[in-house]
Amino acid sequence: MLFQDDAGGLQVEDPRSPGSFIDATPMKDALVMNVGDLLMRWSNDFLKSTLHRVTLPPIQVDGPISGKLMTKSRYSIPYFVSPDPKSVIECLPVCTDADHPPKYEPVVQEDYRRMRARGQYAEPVEAVSTPTSGH
């Protein structure tokens, strides 16, 4: 969940045009909910995980220091939520039926988190020892 100000900068990938991003224009008193891969799995793809990024706010000519080009200050408060590590994550019954069978096997949250973490980091390269010349 993201509570943001009116500075803008949040963009989401356009699902119809992968690699292209569109502005998530701030709306007064609105809450932005980024759906992650785990929630997408839980909802059997009813809710879609969205690739997102944050860009610089637009340059303002008259910033706090008169006549200087500056970006507007940005304040946002992200709030991350995840299930208990021992929770079993499985497609919710309300998101499945004969036409929409479960797309994912049940998984324990802790195992899922570890699996995703392994995918985010390259395997460590083993140190290669080089012979010294003896000088």
Side-chain angles (χ1 to χ4, degrees), residues 50-66:
T50 306
L51 184 63
H52 60 281
R53 67 184 185 188
V54 178
T55 62
L56 286 173
I59 299 286
Q60 296 179 334
V61 176
D62 289 318
I65 303 170
S66 185

Side-chain angles (χ1 to χ4, degrees), residues 36-114:
D37 294 344
L38 189 62
L39 186 54
M40 186 170 91
R41 183 183 185 106
W42 226 333
S43 74
N44 202 34
D45 289 355
F46 179 75
L47 300 172
K48 299 290 186 183
S49 176
T50 306
L51 184 63
H52 60 281
R53 67 184 185 188
V54 178
T55 62
L56 286 173
I59 299 286
Q60 296 179 334
V61 176
D62 289 318
I65 303 170
S66 185
K68 300 284 186 183
L69 294 178
M70 303 186 78
T71 59
K72 182 176 182 177
S73 295
R74 175 187 306 152
Y75 298 94
S76 60
I77 303 169
Y79 181 75
F80 299 92
V81 181
S82 62
D84 182 281
K86 303 297 182 197
S87 296
V88 175
I89 308 304
E90 57 188 324
C91 296
L92 298 170
V94 72
C95 298
T96 61
D97 59 30
D99 294 329
H100 302 94
K103 296 179 180 180
Y104 306 98
E105 292 293 321
V107 64
V108 175
Q109 155 62 10
E110 190 171 38
D111 297 336
Y112 180 80
R113 182 189 54 78
R114 284 188 185 124

